[in-house]
Amino acid sequence: MVDKVLIATEKPFAESARNSMVKMFQEAGLEPVVLEKYTDPKDLLAAVADVSAMVIRSDKVTKDVLEAGKNLKLVVRAGAGYDNVDCASAKARNVIVENTPGQNANAVAELTIGMMVMIARAKYSGKSGTELKGKRLGVHALGNIGTIVASLGRAFGMDVCAFDPFLDQCVFDECCVGCITKIEDLYSTCDYVSVHIPATPETIKSINYALLSKMKKGAALINTARAEVIHEEELLKIMEDRPDIKYASDIAPKNSAAFMEKFADRVFFTPKKMGAQTAEANTNAGLAAARQIIAYLKEGKVLNQVNP
Ligand code: 3PG
């Protein structure tokens, strides 16, 4: 019997990327099924029922979805963050979860710099702004995205430093960025702090009042990682107490209305998470996901597993 592969994207890939994925699956002798722009999670439960593998983006793969996928063997998150997948339940059901690290990093890094420019130029309101050149950029986590942000920041003439306790000094040296060993020092010395940490039990709400209160006068926090890593209530409070701080985020906080009402000039939120929303990133991540699914279903190869 031919294996079915589901491409489930509430926020679809660029058409060209999706069509290439469909073609790859067909040429590999698999049967692609596409579910896009669904609004009811029940549609995902129905679509996953008879597939062997699925490609997702930020789509939520809950215990229910995994239970509904009676034949499901592999979930590939076309992207980096897999906080939207219940990895423990997947493991319990022997479902492999993989991601495609680095494939959409450039797109996210470019959006990060774009948001910094937007904040520096008073949200393009016509008011006089400032330049990035000569300012200090602090990269909070020097992974695939943070590395590119650091390099783009240097190209803008910024003084770039980074905090990442999981890396050796040689990585900082290779990226030509200063190594900050205490997170407080990153927040207290930088004009822009760019967040690139994943959402994990340890990091959720970790950017809190105590840390934000260290921010340099007039500094901006740029978040193209996950809304959840910021302690939203405490961010609201510090922005009330510190009228100099600005915040730009790729996806709005839950209570975005309160932020917009109180600090319209000092905040910017994308309407939908759009860091990876480019044709190039969709092609890179989508085709990598398709290759990984074909490698597994045709050759039994497991690549980039995140729930070993
Ligand atoms: C990621 O984790 O790779 C990014 O946040 C992209 O997410 P998206 O595919 O939902 O745009």
Side-chain angles (χ1 to χ4, degrees), residues 119-131:
I119 289 288
R121 292 303 181 96
K123 292 175 70 180
Y124 308 129
S125 60
K127 285 185 197 155
S128 184
T130 53
E131 298 178 22

Side-chain angles (χ1 to χ4, degrees), residues 10-11 13 56-59 77-84 100 104-105 108 145 224-226 250 273-277 282 285:
E10 179 272 318
K11 182 178 63 183
F13 289 114
I56 51 154
R57 294 187 64 183
S58 288
D59 306 79
R77 197 289 190 226
Y82 47 91
D83 45 306
N84 49 320
T100 65
N104 56 24
V108 181
I145 301 167
T224 52
R226 290 288 183 269
D250 182 20
K273 184 147 68 84
M274 53 175 291
Q277 202 60 335
N282 290 171

Side-chain angles (χ1 to χ4, degrees), residues 249-272:
S249 177
D250 182 20
I251 200 166
K254 284 201 189 75
N255 193 1
S256 64
F259 282 88
M260 289 308 291
E261 190 190 319
K262 290 174 190 227
F263 328 111
D265 292 350
R266 296 159 54 206
V267 292
F268 169 75
F269 307 128
T270 52
K272 223 176 197 347

Side-chain angles (χ1 to χ4, degrees), residues 144-275:
N144 289 315
I145 301 167
T147 305
I148 303 174
V149 169
S151 141
L152 295 175
R154 289 180 61 240
F156 271 79
M158 301 182 86
D159 167 24
V160 185
C161 60
F163 170 80
D164 196 324
F166 300 102
L167 298 178
D168 287 336
Q169 176 67 44
C170 61
V171 181
F172 294 83
D173 295 344
E174 269 166 33
C175 297
C176 302
V177 301
C179 173
I180 301 285
T181 53
K182 273 176 65 194
I183 184 70
E184 290 78 11
D185 293 345
L186 191 87
Y187 280 71
S188 65
T189 63
C190 291
D191 302 290
Y192 293 87
V193 175
S194 188
V195 181
H196 301 291
I197 51 176
T200 65
E202 292 76 34
T203 64
I204 287 172
K205 293 191 178 204
S206 63
I207 302 178
N208 54 17
Y209 190 96
L211 188 57
L212 294 168
S213 67
K214 306 272 185 248
M215 281 175 79
K216 187 175 169 181
K217 190 167 169 35
L221 182 68
I222 312 292
N223 180 11
T224 52
R226 290 288 183 269
E228 294 85 346
V229 300
I230 310 282
H231 194 306
E232 188 177 320
E233 295 77 22
E234 297 190 8
L235 173 66
L236 198 66
K237 175 89 178 81
I238 191 76
M239 290 191 75
E240 274 164 358
D241 296 352
R242 289 272 309 268
D244 56 303
I245 292 178
K246 303 177 194 81
Y247 180 59
S249 177
D250 182 20
I251 200 166
K254 284 201 189 75
N255 193 1
S256 64
F259 282 88
M260 289 308 291
E261 190 190 319
K262 290 174 190 227
F263 328 111
D265 292 350
R266 296 159 54 206
V267 292
F268 169 75
F269 307 128
T270 52
K272 223 176 197 347
K273 184 147 68 84
M274 53 175 291

